[in-house]
Amino acid sequence: MRLLLVEDNVELSEWLGAILQKEGFALDCVHDAEAANVLLGSGGYDVVLLDLKLPHASGQSVLRRLRRRLDQTPVMVTTASDSLDMKVECLNAGADDYMVKPFEIRELAARIKALIRRRSGSATSILSCADLSYDTNTRLFSLAGQALALPQREHRLLEALLMNQGHTLSKASLMQSVFGLDAEAGEDALELYVHRLRHKLEASQAAIVTLRGLGYLLTRREQP
């Protein structure tokens, strides 16, 4: 699960980022609206945590720009303001949730997972594709009822595909999910992890399909 944290308080962002990573989230962090707009333009995030008070431009401007592009990435506003008018303004502008600082990390993590489930169309913590399932609370995969343990990068890849099942994900988007912003990796590395996952899913009813020029898709395997 890949998050973008937009927070101008560097000390707070480092503390919050470290805790969220311990909770199992992959996280990128920026401190101003311009940097947020650049990263959001490339897509690939499951949730955006957006502070309203940013240098040079407001968090509301980032939110409005995102929604003008018809980008439906869930956005949780995090702010020190508990103004009802501000909450209403943000929700009307397209925010999906709103938390007032200071907040409890456990509640924040639970709300993030709820937003991800809602985006994936699941009312529970379990996401499924054929006999492949994933618990967003425990972050564990199972295949035909048996635990499926994966190395970190294969886990991130399959997680991204499953949470977006039925939708084609570009190589660029998947590379960000798997490697993040800082790692130097090419498409060959991504294809290697796809190959490894396909091998592990050979007996599964779920399959990773390549759509040339577009990317990859997780879907139910076609029966011969």
Side-chain angles (χ1 to χ4, degrees):
M1 291 176 276
R2 188 158 176 262
L3 312 181
L4 177 62
L5 174 61
V6 187
E7 168 61 62
D8 71 319
N9 185 317
V10 176
E11 184 177 354
L12 174 60
S13 67
E14 290 178 349
W15 173 81
L16 185 56
I19 292 179
L20 288 173
Q21 286 175 332
K22 288 181 180 178
E23 289 284 332
F25 297 104
L27 184 135
D28 295 324
C29 181
V30 293
H31 307 297
D32 59 73
E34 183 178 358
N37 288 330
V38 170
L39 290 185
L40 288 172
S42 63
Y45 292 100
D46 297 302
V47 174
V48 180
L49 304 181
L50 180 63
D51 186 25
L52 295 183
K53 188 177 180 182
L54 300 172
H56 311 306
S58 67
Q60 292 98 316
S61 71
V62 174
L63 176 61
R64 288 192 292 267
R65 180 170 179 171
L66 186 72
R67 297 306 187 225
R68 280 199 301 269
R69 295 201 307 269
L70 303 181
D71 188 324
Q72 298 304 309
T73 301
V75 174
M76 176 181 289
V77 168
T78 60
T79 178
S81 173
D82 62 355
S83 163
L84 177 60
D85 289 341
M86 183 65 72
K87 290 181 183 179
V88 171
E89 177 186 340
C90 289
L91 292 171
N92 285 339
D96 298 273
D97 203 350
Y98 190 106
M99 289 195 71
V100 177
K101 303 173 185 175
F103 41 69
E104 290 286 342
I105 286 295
R106 288 186 302 167
E107 181 181 2
L108 176 64
R111 289 198 185 192
I112 291 170
K113 292 173 183 177
L115 290 177
I116 291 172
R117 290 198 302 271
R118 189 184 309 165
R119 185 187 188 193
S120 302
S122 175
T124 71
S125 63
I126 306 299
L127 304 178
S128 300
C129 177
D131 57 351
L132 174 68
S133 63
Y134 180 63
D135 189 326
T136 58
N137 285 336
T138 63
R139 302 193 70 234
L140 296 176
F141 286 103
S142 62
L143 184 59
Q146 300 297 314
L148 176 63
L150 297 171
Q152 184 182 63
R153 286 179 172 172
E154 291 177 36
H155 188 287
R156 289 181 179 178
L157 174 57
L158 189 56
E159 181 183 62
L161 289 167
L162 184 55
M163 289 197 300
N164 294 275
Q165 63 172 299
H167 301 280
T168 303
L169 294 181
S170 68
K171 288 186 177 181
S173 174
L174 284 171
M175 287 175 66
Q176 288 190 12
S177 295
V178 174
F179 304 110
L181 293 177
D182 299 326
E184 294 183 4
E187 291 187 1
D188 289 347
L190 177 65
E191 291 169 3
L192 174 62
Y193 288 116
V194 171
H195 173 76
R196 290 176 178 175
L197 274 180
R198 281 180 168 150
H199 178 70
K200 293 174 181 178
L201 295 176
E202 280 181 344
S204 172
Q205 298 171 20
I208 301 173
V209 177
T210 301
L211 299 178
R212 296 198 177 280
L214 298 175
Y216 297 102
L217 169 74
L218 181 70
T219 187
R220 180 179 289 272
R221 189 184 302 276
E222 293 185 5
Q223 298 300 318

